[in-house]
Amino acid sequence: MFEKLKENIINYIYNISKQPVKLNVLLQANILFNEGMKLDGTKLGFRLRAARAYLLFLVLIHLIIIPTSYIIHELFAALDCHASIIIAVIFTAFLFGIFNYFKEWTNDEVSKMRIKQMWSLHFPHFPYDEFHVEVSNIFEKAKNEDIKHVDLERYILDHLSA
């Protein structure tokens, strides 16, 4: 259920290209993703729709805020108005931080999804979960040996088959 919800969120807030990603770009993205680096969506063929991301985030956050506000309303009614203002300012700053985390999480998820899609296109006989680290190591080795882009796929497949 969570995976389906995540997929629907990603499809709603991201514009994802139908065009395949070149092998070299896929391999570079795989290395960066394995190292935990932030990926450029334009190279992998996706773009954030900011208005939709804000709208979805507001809907999701209100699903949490409204019930919580009904629960703690009595506490805020008893507080001094100055304390309520300070808490509101802190909460607003907290929301902006959560939105940035939400944006980064969705970016990581769509990057992983896109890498896995393109992986199945370029390496259909080698599952991503089992071979992504090994292919990164082979690609690094190929870069050190100055293997041409034309021979790169054959070089990687030869090393995976061995």
Side-chain angles (χ1 to χ4, degrees):
M1 184 175 117
F2 180 71
E3 289 297 319
K4 186 68 174 165
L5 178 65
K6 180 174 66 171
E7 185 179 325
N8 288 338
I9 288 172
I10 287 172
N11 289 333
Y12 181 71
I13 66 173
Y14 281 96
N15 186 12
I16 301 172
S17 174
K18 304 270 188 260
Q19 298 298 317
V21 175
K22 293 181 180 179
L23 177 65
N24 193 34
V25 174
L26 173 66
L27 294 171
Q28 289 286 349
N30 183 44
I31 288 173
L32 291 174
F33 188 77
N34 288 341
E35 293 176 355
M37 304 298 286
K38 185 175 174 156
L39 297 176
D40 182 20
T42 56
K43 290 183 180 181
L44 285 175
F46 65 88
R47 181 181 59 85
L48 177 70
R49 296 174 180 165
R52 286 186 176 191
Y54 282 116
L55 178 67
L56 182 68
F57 179 74
L58 287 174
V59 168
L60 291 175
I61 206 70
H62 275 85
L63 290 175
I64 297 168
I65 291 174
I66 291 173
T68 305
S69 65
Y70 281 123
I71 293 170
I72 61 173
H73 176 73
E74 293 297 322
L75 174 69
F76 280 116
L79 281 178
D80 181 38
C81 67
H82 295 94
S84 295
I85 292 170
I86 292 171
I87 291 172
V89 169
I90 292 170
F91 183 73
T92 303
F94 182 68
L95 280 179
F96 283 111
I98 291 174
F99 179 73
N100 286 333
Y101 178 75
F102 173 76
K103 229 170 42 172
E104 286 187 24
W105 173 76
T106 57
N107 189 358
D108 288 345
E109 291 298 321
V110 74
S111 297
K112 185 176 183 180
M113 182 181 82
R114 191 76 170 137
I115 288 171
K116 283 186 174 185
Q117 284 174 347
M118 293 303 111
W119 188 277
S120 64
L121 177 70
H122 290 288
F123 303 110
H125 302 294
F126 301 99
Y128 174 79
D129 295 328
E130 295 176 26
F131 291 97
H132 68 97
V133 175
E134 187 175 348
V135 169
S136 294
N137 295 334
I138 295 169
F139 180 59
E140 288 289 334
K141 186 177 172 184
K143 286 194 313 189
N144 292 337
E145 294 178 11
D146 292 329
I147 302 296
K148 296 178 184 175
H149 294 293
V150 179
D151 300 326
L152 187 60
E153 185 172 8
R154 185 175 47 89
Y155 179 84
I156 292 172
L157 289 174
D158 287 345
H159 278 75
L160 285 175
S161 299

